[in-house]
Amino acid sequence: QVQLVESGGGLVQPGGSLRLSCAASGTIYGISVMGWYRQAPGKQRELVATINSGFSTNYADSVKGRFTISRDNAKKMVYLQMNSLKPEDTAVYYCNVRSAWATDFWGQGTQVIVSS
């Protein structure tokens, strides 16, 4: 059974940095797109960043220039380096992995709180 586990969240002051990690376990027959989404209380879940099998990246306008997504195919991991964090970045961050067969898998989420 495929499972995704996020880690690296926590409480950080504005301007600080965090590095989120997502580890996939189980057999996934060809990972295509990997990404990070986030959901703040009372808000819709939104895309933060994605990275495809060709290592092409896509970012939400709100995080461009501050966040960097990367992946390690051998380890089946995806990372999100978050710099210059703002209070508006406060949310639960979810890892997403899509297989070559267009099957989506989601992690349980990790909390990020940006506050003074």
Side-chain angles (χ1 to χ4, degrees):
Q1 185 175 355
V2 175
Q3 291 185 322
L4 305 182
V5 180
E6 302 99 331
S7 62
L11 175 64
V12 64
Q13 293 186 341
S17 298
L18 285 174
R19 181 177 173 84
L20 305 184
S21 299
C22 174
S25 62
T27 302
I28 302 177
Y29 295 98
I31 297 173
S32 57
V33 180
M34 306 178 80
W36 290 92
Y37 294 72
R38 68 186 182 187
Q39 187 168 24
K43 304 292 184 179
Q44 292 272 86
R45 185 174 297 188
E46 65 174 351
L47 182 147
V48 176
T50 61
I51 181 167
N52 68 13
S53 59
F55 299 95
S56 178
T57 58
N58 183 46
Y59 297 93
D61 288 340
S62 59
V63 307
K64 285 181 179 177
R66 299 188 298 120
F67 291 10
T68 302
I69 188 170
S70 60
R71 64 189 282 174
D72 185 324
N73 291 335
K75 295 181 179 180
K76 295 192 291 184
M77 295 191 71
V78 60
Y79 308 91
L80 185 68
Q81 178 66 46
M82 306 186 295
N83 298 325
S84 302
L85 284 162
K86 305 175 180 179
E88 307 92 270
D89 296 318
T90 297
V92 176
Y93 284 70
Y94 296 92
C95 176
N96 171 261
V97 171
R98 176 169 289 184
S99 75
W101 303 103
T103 302
D104 284 311
F105 302 95
W106 294 89
Q108 83 289 346
T110 185
Q111 178 73 247
V112 172
I113 300 175
V114 185
S115 177
S116 297

